Amino acid sequence: MIRYTRFLMPTTKETPSDAEVVSHRLMLRAGLIRKVASGIYNYLPAGLKVLRKVERILREEMDRAGAQEVLMPSVVPSELWKESGRWDAYGKELLRFKDRADREFCLGPTHEEVVTDLIRREVRSYRQLPMNLYQIQDKFRDEIRPRFGLMRGREFFMKDAYSFDMGEEGAKESYRKMYEAYCRIFKRMGLDFRAVEADTGNIGGSSSHEFMVIADSGEDAIVSCASCDHGANVEKAECLPPTAGTAGSNGAGPARKVATPGRRTIEEVSSFLGIDPGTLIKTLLFETSAGDVAVLVSGKFEVNEIKVRNHLGAEWVRLADEARVRAVTGAPSGFAGPVGLSVRTIADRSVQAISSGATGANEKDAHLVDVVPGRDFSPEGYADLRVVSAGDPCPRCGGELRFSRGIEVGHVFRLGTKYSEAMRAVCLDADGREQVIAMGCYGIGVGRTAAAAIEQNHDGDGIVWPISIAPFEVAVIPVNVKNADVAGAAERLSSDLDARGVEVLLDDREERPGIKFKDADLVGIPVRVTLGEKNVAAGFGELRDRKSGETVRVGLSDLAESVLAMVARKKAECAA
Ligand code: ATP
Ligand code: MG
């Protein structure tokens, strides 16, 4: 049992001005966290309790899935990162520094290198595999825009796990086990989530899923099928090739130049020419690590830069600036087109469906019409390079795609041999031959998950924690601690519940009842017991469900049993 008077939970009425999302506001107002520097926080006692509960579920499910807990250092020597090639590739998110002997180190943002180094030293034989090592550790990433409190911090706790197998079949099985463990983990936290296909980004590897908590405030856009279980991050979401002739034509005959004074955007050009925007061949110039590339897409769609990057196998791509566009096309932006263009050109499949279209003439205030792909220009290839859009069918079953927003709380990757190859982590197989170990990596953000739970579970009065991660299960509120009967009843109930394993906050402050009720609601304690003067004198207490607001009057002798039953009911809602 914890007494509020002996507990640092500084609740506030004021809404902090720099907190943009609900979870950040409520974590501050409920006295769970305090900012130390941008993206760096103190976890106060109640906040830490929540994080520890998240961690406990993580440990239980990781252990159940056969993983072993280790703890690696936060401070990592640069040599390991140089071996993998990421010392140069990772960029400014990696916080680098030197020790007194001028040796370079970083604060680990993720631990593939450290764990691969461990495994290559300690594992020799296939008999030791499969193996899955996990840790719950403080990570540091020097994010460009730390924001939303624990959602995107710079220093944060992550559960990271790494699997090691002989061969890809085993690696797939390890991945499947983690995928299932993650589903159990987020179910146990009472979250509405979806696992979606994701891009593999700069960690590299062959396949990956993100676990998204569905919330309007989420930074990620996701699509999911209304008919099957397909889901994907919009960054990754596949588009089916268009059915033939869908994009129509804006005329026959040879390509002609027409004047389009001051018309640059898709809307301006298509309405000026009186054509369907879908028949405009939009031409975007990208600067990439593989040189300049023009990307073509139908005017009704947007180019997906991640698909472009993956298609080119480039390290990076970015939209060319005005000066570059002028240098390459000879015209200001808004008038670029593929006809006669001298840079490498690739096209989205939507362009293939345009039988005759319009496009920029690479000349100020001019466009070409009656342009026929294949006749007037030939891109080096057609591929899926666009952003999925409303009206696209599900690529698996043809069903209807729904768009929503999500918070990425977990991420599972199949890494293949990216790190084990670079760092020579090998193992002898049954025939005594050396084989490179196949790896997977699996991350869950502890603080971000807690924040996501608030985004999904709150109301006008505050947080409504799922009981499995609530800082306390029950708040016991004696409305007047100076009344000996009331105070005594509260003490007895609290110790009784405590002895039976219930986590109780006894609000023993000399505050007005209204303040105590507001704080219990703000902090989001799932069950509240109120002991009022009249009720106690008549032998009663009041039991209230934070979520539904339902209140029942219960005889003092039955009160503990009723609380236990309500707690058990709420726990059952968080069962995997
Ligand atoms: P994002 O795309 O949101 O930056 P990421 O892809 O960089 O995330 P991973 O490298 O997959 O994240 O890290 C695993 C998990 O760690 C994420 O799913 C998330 O829960 C958590 N995480 C990542 N970055 C942060 C951060 N800056 N603050 C809090 N948690 C984070
Ligand atoms: Mg990610």
Side-chain angles (χ1 to χ4, degrees):
M1 175 212 328
I2 282 175
R3 292 167 203 278
Y4 204 144
T5 50
R6 312 301 323 147
F7 193 65
L8 182 63
M9 192 164 69
T11 56
T12 57
K13 266 222 247 1
E14 305 79 51
T15 300
S17 59
D18 66 332
E20 296 166 68
V21 295
V22 157
S23 57
H24 188 193
R25 281 199 293 274
L26 289 176
M27 278 190 176
L28 289 167
R29 285 195 51 212
L32 306 186
I33 59 170
R34 286 294 182 259
K35 180 169 148 180
V36 176
S38 170
I40 298 178
Y41 290 89
N42 281 320
Y43 305 112
L44 273 52
L48 189 60
K49 276 178 172 294
V50 171
L51 300 188
R52 294 289 182 242
K53 287 204 167 171
V54 170
E55 291 174 5
R56 183 162 154 197
I57 293 174
L58 293 172
R59 287 198 170 88
E60 284 174 5
E61 294 302 331
M62 292 305 290
D63 293 346
R64 180 204 297 273
Q68 310 174 54
E69 185 169 1
V70 292
L71 188 54
M72 293 181 262
S74 298
V75 174
V76 180
S78 64
E79 287 75 28
L80 291 178
W81 278 68
K82 284 179 180 157
E83 271 192 69
S84 71
R86 283 206 293 186
W87 186 256
D88 294 322
Y90 210 84
K92 288 195 163 180
E93 257 187 41
L94 189 65
L95 185 68
R96 303 154 208 249
F97 56 94
K98 289 182 176 167
D99 70 4
R100 62 169 81 201
D102 232 24
R103 290 188 206 98
E104 288 176 307
F105 290 86
C106 65
L107 280 185
T110 173
H111 278 64
E112 285 77 10
E113 284 81 358
V114 181
V115 79
T116 306
D117 177 54
L118 175 68
I119 289 294
R120 74 178 163 184
R121 293 164 191 273
E122 306 305 332
V123 172
R124 291 265 169 271
S125 156
Y126 70 97
R127 287 193 194 88
Q128 294 167 273
L129 299 182
M131 188 180 287
N132 187 324
L133 298 180
Y134 78 97
Q135 62 174 347
I136 297 178
Q137 191 217 28
D138 210 18
K139 294 280 190 272
F140 195 93
R141 294 183 181 183
D142 203 352
E143 301 270 357
I144 309 184
R145 270 224 297 158
R147 56 186 181 154
F148 303 161
L150 301 194
M151 201 89 89
R152 185 169 296 284
R154 292 199 294 166
E155 184 178 344
F156 58 95
F157 292 126
M158 193 199 291
K159 188 287 298 168
D160 46 330
Y162 306 87
S163 66
F164 303 88
D165 281 274
M166 292 301 276
E168 283 305 321
E169 278 315 303
K172 264 189 208 166
E173 179 58 16
S174 293
Y175 184 86
R176 194 190 57 76
K177 274 196 192 148
M178 280 299 105
Y179 185 101
E180 280 174 9
Y182 275 34
C183 290
R184 291 181 58 88
I185 285 167
F186 296 120
K187 262 193 209 146
R188 286 186 58 186
M189 295 179 191
L191 298 172
D192 176 18
F193 69 96
R194 200 126 185 167
V196 303
E197 292 170 18
D199 184 62
T200 46
N202 72 356
I203 294 204
S206 47
S207 64
S208 116
H209 285 85
E210 286 165 341
F211 286 77
M212 295 283 188
V213 166
I214 307 300
D216 291 337
S217 59
E219 289 186 285
D220 287 272
I222 58 180
V223 292
S224 53
C225 178
S227 316
C228 72
D229 65 3
H230 170 67
N233 194 311
V234 164
E235 286 182 345
K236 157 95 179 179
E238 226 176 286
C239 305
L240 288 176
T243 39
T246 41
S249 154
N250 64 32
R256 292 176 291 122
K257 194 192 291 180
V258 294
T260 50
R263 271 63 171 198
R264 296 160 179 267
T265 66
I266 297 296
E267 267 134 57
E268 287 164 358
V269 175
S270 58
S271 75
F272 182 74
L273 297 175
I275 58 170
D276 170 2
T279 67
L280 254 176
I281 301 163
K282 181 151 83 178
T283 306
L284 297 176
L285 185 68
F286 284 89
E287 292 180 73
T288 82
S289 55
D292 288 340
V293 179
V295 181
L296 314 180
V297 67
S298 157
K300 66 177 172 188
F301 297 123
E302 299 300 327
V303 168
N304 180 325
E305 290 191 15
I306 290 172
K307 289 182 180 176
V308 170
R309 189 195 69 205
N310 291 343
H311 178 78
L312 297 171
E315 289 275 314
W316 54 267
V317 304
R318 63 168 171 262
L319 216 47
D321 61 14
E322 181 70 27
R324 191 90 202 129
V325 170
R326 278 178 192 267
V328 171
T329 69
S333 66
F335 301 100
V339 181
L341 199 62
S342 58
V343 291
R344 195 173 165 192
T345 303
I346 54 176
D348 179 67
R349 293 185 298 213
S350 58
V351 173
Q352 216 167 1
I354 299 173
S355 46
S356 158
T359 191
N362 298 322
E363 189 180 313
K364 186 171 189 295
D365 295 339
H367 277 76
L368 299 176
V369 296
D370 298 350
V371 173
V372 177
R375 181 191 73 182
D376 299 316
F377 69 92
S378 295
E380 106 188 4
Y382 291 98
D384 174 13
L385 300 175
R386 68 175 174 87
V387 180
V388 67
S389 82
D392 269 317
C394 167
R396 301 275 174 283
C397 75
E400 184 197 337
L401 288 184
R402 291 186 179 152
F403 287 72
S404 47
R405 303 210 58 92
I407 300 164
E408 181 205 317
V409 288
H411 204 160
V412 293
F413 283 86
R414 279 182 54 208
L415 290 170
T417 55
K418 182 178 154 125
Y419 295 92
S420 41
E421 186 90 58
M423 298 181 66
R424 292 300 300 158
V426 296
C427 209
L428 296 179
D429 67 15
D431 303 321
R433 279 185 308 240
E434 264 191 359
Q435 269 197 42
V436 180
I437 297 172
M439 289 175 57
C441 72
Y442 317 93
I444 292 180
V446 176
R448 188 184 286 183
T449 301
I454 297 178
E455 292 294 327
Q456 218 168 53
N457 299 282
H458 66 270
D459 61 18
D461 297 320
I463 305 170
V464 187
W465 288 112
I467 200 161
S468 57
I469 56 174
F472 298 96
E473 292 166 335
V474 179
V476 173
I477 300 186
V479 298
N480 177 4
V481 289
K482 291 202 173 125
N483 176 318
D485 291 342
V486 166
E491 282 288 340
R492 277 192 301 280
L493 176 68
S494 299
S495 345
D496 189 8
L497 291 172
D498 189 66
R500 294 161 89 168
V502 178
E503 296 163 324
V504 178
L505 176 71
L506 170 59
D507 194 344
D508 56 346
R509 295 175 301 172
E510 283 184 29
E511 290 283 3
R512 281 184 288 114
I515 287 181
K516 295 184 176 187
F517 296 151
K518 276 212 167 68
D519 281 344
D521 282 356
L522 175 61
V523 174
I525 303 171
V527 179
R528 184 176 99 194
V529 182
T530 307
L531 296 162
E533 295 185 87
K534 278 191 200 140
N535 264 338
V536 168
F540 287 96
E542 213 177 65
L543 188 58
R544 182 168 175 274
D545 180 339
R546 168 71 181 88
K547 190 169 178 180
S548 68
E550 246 173 80
T551 306
V552 284
R553 208 163 158 251
V554 182
L556 285 178
S557 54
D558 297 329
L559 201 47
E561 285 306 325
S562 302
V563 171
L564 283 167
M566 193 182 263
V567 167
R569 219 164 43 239
K570 288 187 170 285
K571 281 188 172 164
E573 285 168 14
C574 294

